[in-house]
Amino acid sequence: GAVVSQHPSRVICKSGTSVKIECRSLDFQATTMFWYRQFPKKSLMLMATSNEGSKATYEQGVEKDKFLINHASLTLSTLTVTSAHPEDSSFYICSARYPGGDTEAFFGQGTRLTVV
Amino acid sequence: GQNIDQPTEMTATEGAIVQINCTYQTSGFNGLFWYQQHAGEAPTFLSYNVLDGLEEKGRFSSFLSRSKGYSYLLLKELQMKDSASYLCAVVDSNYQLIWGAGTKLIIKP
């Protein structure tokens, strides 16, 4: 199946700093990528839909200025957590689907963010 | 609103069979996925149903009834490694994935 690579897998940062997470589709072009956040023992929560060449579409309640998403190419989307706080500590996962929308979602490995 | 219901947790015995149910109410339907997720890892694809009926894939089978808004995942010959969360996700009319909260499956020897 298709491969989506997410980096880094784990990151620890100090409160107030910014962290960038990369999501790459390695063997297909993803015009759309999705960013999820997952709290312990909870399901995936869609944060935003990243569209190549245009602004991301954020879900209600997600701060656009805090979670910056850039989808500059057909194979790369980035999520930057700005001015991170301990409550931003979570598991962040990206996913992408083949164009068409009705196929399985391929997931990155996820990033465990810990803000201290 | 859109809603997907799954049991929060289930327990089964190694070697046995378990059925995990998923009911949904969504704006449109373009398919239903089952994913497996081990703790601390990303979900992995198990199955995709878009037509009514049973899809069998090795020890795992998935069933769909669109008229009832119902699906189940059937796991046979359970192994300890099957201990994980199982997520049901529906593709709605906008081709967005709507996720259930997941069912934590505990396998006991």
Side-chain angles (χ1 to χ4, degrees):
Chain A
V3 178
V4 174
S5 177
Q6 187 173 340
H7 177 82
S9 57
R10 293 178 184 273
V11 59
I12 300 173
C13 71
K14 291 185 178 180
S15 186
T17 62
S18 295
V19 173
K20 179 185 284 189
I21 303 170
E22 293 187 348
C23 181
R24 294 180 184 273
S25 57
L26 299 185
D27 54 359
F28 68 103
Q29 293 183 331
T31 54
T32 304
M33 291 186 177
F34 304 89
W35 286 96
Y36 294 88
R37 183 174 180 177
Q38 188 174 33
F39 295 98
K41 300 181 181 180
K42 299 292 184 182
S43 186
L44 301 172
M45 182 191 77
L46 181 63
M47 297 175 65
T49 302
S50 172
N51 304 298
E52 187 269 334
S54 64
K55 292 182 179 180
T57 304
Y58 288 82
E59 296 299 303
Q60 192 172 8
V62 178
E63 298 177 60
K64 301 178 183 180
D65 295 332
K66 182 164 188 62
F67 299 100
L68 299 178
I69 292 173
N70 184 283
H71 196 151
S73 77
L74 287 171
T75 60
L76 174 64
S77 175
T78 60
L79 168 67
T80 302
V81 183
T82 63
S83 187
H85 289 99
E87 56 264 32
D88 298 326
S89 298
S90 191
F91 192 52
Y92 294 87
I93 309 175
C94 70
S95 79
R97 280 183 269 163
Y98 284 125
D102 58 347
T103 61
E104 69 171 285
F106 299 99
F107 288 88
Q109 300 91 325
T111 299
R112 172 70 62 190
L113 171 63
T114 303
V115 184
V116 298
Chain B
Q2 309 209 85
N3 193 50
I4 297 183
D5 288 315
Q6 306 179 234
T8 304
E9 188 174 295
M10 299 182 71
T11 303
T13 305
E14 190 177 14
I17 299 173
V18 70
Q19 177 175 311
I20 303 174
N21 296 324
C22 171
T23 58
Y24 62 89
Q25 300 92 39
T26 56
S27 57
F29 178 85
N30 282 298
L32 184 146
F33 291 97
W34 283 96
Y35 283 84
Q36 180 191 62
Q37 186 179 26
H38 286 99
E41 299 180 9
T44 56
F45 170 79
L46 289 179
S47 67
Y48 173 67
N49 294 71
V50 67
L51 299 176
D52 291 349
L54 185 68
E55 295 274 347
E56 296 186 79
K57 189 184 295 185
R59 293 189 300 114
F60 294 5
S61 302
S62 57
F63 172 83
L64 174 67
S65 170
R66 288 172 295 173
S67 62
K68 296 181 180 179
Y70 168 70
S71 172
Y72 67 73
L73 180 69
L74 190 71
L75 294 75
K76 302 176 184 177
E77 301 170 16
L78 286 170
Q79 302 174 9
M80 297 303 292
K81 67 178 182 179
D82 297 330
S83 292
S85 286
Y86 291 85
L87 304 171
C88 171
V90 173
V91 184
D92 71 6
S93 56
N94 294 318
Y95 289 96
Q96 299 296 317
L97 271 174
I98 311 301
W99 292 88
T103 299
K104 182 179 180 180
L105 178 62
I106 300 169
I107 309 295
K108 295 185 175 180

